[in-house]
Amino acid sequence: MPNKVAFNEDYPVTTNSDALYERAKPIMTPVTQTMAKGPGQYVDGVAPKYLKKGKGSRVWDVDGNEFIDYNAAIGPLSLGYAYPRVDEAIIEQLKDGITFSMMHELEVVLAELVHKVIPNAESIRISKTGADVTSAAVRVARAYTGRNKVLCCGYHGWHDWYIGVTSRNAGIPAAVKDLSATFEYNDLDSVRNALDSDTACVILEPFVFEAPKNNFLQELKALCEANGTLLIFDEMWTGFRIAVGGAQEYFGVTPDLACYSKACANGMPISLLTGRREIMELFKGDVFFYTTFGGEALSLAAAVATIQELIEKNVPAYLAVQGKKLKEGYNVLAKELGIDGYTRCIGYECRSMVSFDATAGNPLELKSYVQQELIKRGILWSGFHNMMYSHSDADVEYTLKAYREVLGLLKEAVEAGDVAKRLKGKPVEAVFRKVSNFNMKPAIKA
C-alpha cells in the first residue's frame, strides 16, 4: 500500500518514479525543467521523483504516496492545489478559448486590479515567466537612463545579464559579463562602492530570509535616486505573500520598477512588470518587449481569481499566522532538544527556511537526514516552509509532531557521529541559489 500522511512503518516505494526517471535520462538533458524540482534536491532512493496530482496542501506521487507539501510548486501556489475558485475561473475561460488573434478583455481587468493593489503600478506589462520581466526591467532601465551597468542581489533568472555573475556563465560573452556585478544584502557600502555614472539600475529581492536592517531598503532607494540609478524590486517570492501589494507595500518603499510572478496566479504561468509610467512609456516604441502568450487567457483568468481571493480572504495574514507556528514551533523543539546550536528556522513567517550549521557535521547530510525522515512520515520538504492558504491547523500540528520525532533522531545521529551512515541514498546536492554572499564580484566602477 502507498504511504499516507502518517508515521509510516517504512519509506515510500518509488517504483513508478524510478521507471519514469530511467525513461527520461536518455532523451532529456537534464531531466528536470526546474533545478529545485530535480532529483538532486532530494535523497536518492527515498524520495519520489515525479508527482501526479495535488489537492489543497497535499500531493500524490506516481506511486500513490501522499504528502503534505511545503514546497508550493517552488512558489507559485499561494492558495493551494486545485483551488476551487481558481480552477472554476480557468474552466469557464477554457469554454471560450485560450489564446486569441487580438487582445483579450481580461488583460484590462487584470491590469486594473494590479493597478489598485501594487503601489508603484502606474503602468503594467504582462508576460509569462519571472526571467521575462526582470530582463525587461533591466532593458527599459538601460534605455531610460542611457546607461549600461547593472547591480544585482539575489536570484533573477536565467538570462545573460544576471547569469553572467554566477558560476554557470558558460556561453555568455565577456562584454556582457563585465556589465553586471553584485552587492551584499544589508551592506550599503557595497552598493556605494560599485555605483558610478554608468549604473543604470540596482535590482534586488527585497528580502530572501534575512530582514532588512537599519532602514536598508529606504536608504538604498535614496542612494539610487542620488545617483540617477533606477531601483528595481524582484518580488517573485515576496509579491502577494508578505502582503498583497508585495514588499513595497509591507516596507513602505516604492521602487521605480517591480517584477512579479509565482504567487499571483496560484500555479498558472504569468508574470507582471509594474512601474512608473514615464519609464514604462518606452515600451510603446523604443524598447521591444512582446510575447505571443502574454495575453493567454487561462492564466489571466487564474490571476484575477487568485488576487481577488488573496484580498477577500486576507491570505497574507493567514500565511503569517500558520508560518509563525511552524517557525517558532521548530525553534522551540530545537531548543528543548538542545540542538538549537546547530539548527534553527529563519526568515519571514510566509516563507521560512531551516538551516544547519557545519559545527554538527556536513549541513547537506544533516538536511538530507531530516528530509528522509519527514518523507517517511508523509511530508514533502526541501528545508523550506513555503506557506499556502490550504495549510490547515491540522497540517501544522501534524508537522510539528513529526519534527519532534525527527529532530530527536537527528540529535541521536549527530551525537553518534553517523548521520551519513543513516542515509538510505545519496544526500541532496548544494543549491545553485544562494541566500547570502550573492556571487560577489569586485566593484564595476570605470
Side-chain angles (χ1 to χ4, degrees):
M1 292 289 291
N3 280 11
K4 301 296 183 184
V5 176
F7 285 68
N8 299 288
E9 292 184 8
D10 207 347
Y11 301 94
V13 173
T14 58
T15 305
N16 293 335
S17 264
D18 295 337
L20 278 169
Y21 184 55
E22 291 304 315
R23 286 167 54 188
K25 285 195 295 184
I27 55 174
M28 300 180 73
T29 310
V31 297
T32 182
Q33 316 316 307
T34 306
M35 287 185 72
K37 296 182 182 183
Q41 295 306 305
Y42 295 90
V43 179
D44 186 44
V46 173
K49 294 179 176 68
Y50 294 91
L51 298 179
K52 188 176 183 67
K53 66 176 181 177
K55 179 65 179 176
S57 64
R58 307 206 174 189
V59 291
W60 287 260
D61 68 18
V62 291
D63 289 275
N65 301 300
E66 178 184 357
F67 305 90
I68 299 173
D69 182 10
Y70 283 108
N71 291 332
I74 322 301
L77 295 176
S78 49
L79 299 174
Y81 290 93
Y83 194 83
R85 181 173 184 174
V86 180
D87 284 4
E88 288 163 11
I90 294 169
I91 290 166
E92 286 304 306
Q93 181 54 49
L94 182 60
K95 295 175 183 177
D96 288 338
I98 301 169
T99 303
F100 297 86
S101 300
M102 297 179 75
M103 298 179 292
H104 193 274
E105 62 181 335
L106 283 174
E107 295 175 50
V108 181
V109 174
L110 175 59
E112 288 177 334
L113 187 55
V114 172
H115 176 71
K116 289 179 182 178
V117 299
I118 295 179
N120 83 332
E122 295 178 7
S123 183
I124 298 100
R125 296 284 289 157
I126 304 168
S127 194
K128 274 290 158 211
T129 73
D132 288 351
V133 288
T134 56
S135 295
V138 167
R139 181 178 292 180
V140 78
R142 284 171 163 164
Y144 182 79
T145 61
R147 301 175 178 185
N148 298 299
K149 296 175 182 176
V150 178
L151 291 178
C152 49
C153 177
Y155 173 79
H156 306 295
W158 69 273
H159 290 300
D160 288 9
W161 66 269
Y162 168 68
I163 289 297
V165 306
T166 75
S167 60
R168 296 287 294 270
N169 59 11
I172 300 172
V176 174
K177 297 177 188 177
D178 290 344
L179 293 175
S180 295
T182 59
F183 63 94
E184 183 70 354
Y185 192 75
N186 273 330
D187 184 355
L188 274 178
D189 284 339
S190 67
V191 183
R192 203 175 277 115
N193 291 337
L195 280 175
D196 65 12
S197 60
D198 198 31
T199 307
C201 60
V202 168
I203 180 169
L204 79 161
E205 295 182 79
F207 66 83
V208 181
F209 296 104
E210 181 182 356
K213 300 173 183 176
N214 302 318
N215 294 314
F216 174 70
L217 296 176
Q218 290 84 350
E219 294 295 322
L220 180 63
K221 179 180 179 180
L223 196 60
C224 288
E225 287 180 347
N227 195 62
T229 295
L230 298 189
L231 177 63
I232 306 170
F233 278 2
D234 178 343
E235 294 227 41
M236 299 306 152
W237 277 104
T238 56
F240 301 96
R241 267 200 168 82
I242 191 73
V244 174
Q248 57 176 287
E249 175 191 333
Y250 186 82
F251 293 109
V253 178
T254 306
D256 298 295
L257 299 165
C259 309
Y260 298 85
S261 188
K262 295 191 186 286
C264 66
N266 198 48
M268 289 295 283
I270 196 166
S271 59
L272 305 168
L273 173 58
T274 64
R276 285 165 42 198
R277 187 170 185 85
E278 63 184 293
I279 302 170
M280 302 284 279
E281 285 281 340
L282 292 177
F283 285 119
K284 285 185 174 180
D286 298 325
V287 177
F288 193 88
F289 174 44
Y290 295 97
T291 175
T292 299
F293 296 105
E296 178 264 304
L298 301 187
S299 295
L300 295 171
V304 170
T306 298
I307 296 172
Q308 288 173 338
E309 190 79 345
L310 293 172
I311 295 168
E312 292 171 17
K313 300 289 178 62
N314 195 7
V315 169
Y318 180 86
L319 302 184
V321 168
Q322 299 298 72
K324 183 178 182 180
K325 293 177 188 175
L326 283 172
K327 178 185 171 183
E328 293 186 352
Y330 184 97
N331 289 333
V332 166
L333 288 171
K335 187 173 183 179
E336 287 179 359
L337 289 165
I339 62 174
D340 53 319
Y342 60 82
T343 184
R344 63 191 181 101
C345 189
I346 61 174
Y348 281 81
E349 281 74 13
C350 63
R351 182 182 181 238
S352 58
M353 178 181 75
V354 173
S355 66
F356 300 93
D357 191 88
T359 57
N362 183 330
L364 289 178
E365 292 177 355
L366 301 179
K367 176 182 176 180
S368 299
Y369 185 57
V370 171
Q371 181 191 77
Q372 169 182 292
E373 296 307 310
L374 287 174
I375 284 174
K376 181 180 178 182
R377 291 155 180 79
I379 298 174
L380 191 62
W381 181 95
S382 293
F384 307 98
H385 303 129
N386 296 333
M387 302 308 298
M388 300 183 287
Y389 190 61
S390 293
H391 281 131
S392 66
D393 291 340
D395 289 336
V396 173
E397 182 180 349
Y398 174 80
T399 302
L400 291 174
K401 182 180 177 182
Y403 269 143
R404 178 176 291 278
E405 184 168 291
V406 171
L407 291 181
L409 293 173
L410 177 66
K411 179 181 180 179
E412 291 176 10
V414 169
E415 290 177 349
D418 64 355
V419 174
K421 291 181 179 179
R422 300 191 187 205
L423 293 176
K424 304 298 180 181
K426 291 187 297 185
V428 301
E429 297 171 0
V431 293
F432 172 67
R433 187 186 195 284
K434 293 185 177 184
V435 296
S436 64
N437 296 317
F438 296 103
N439 310 306
M440 294 300 290
K441 286 177 60 177
I444 57 172
K445 285 185 179 293

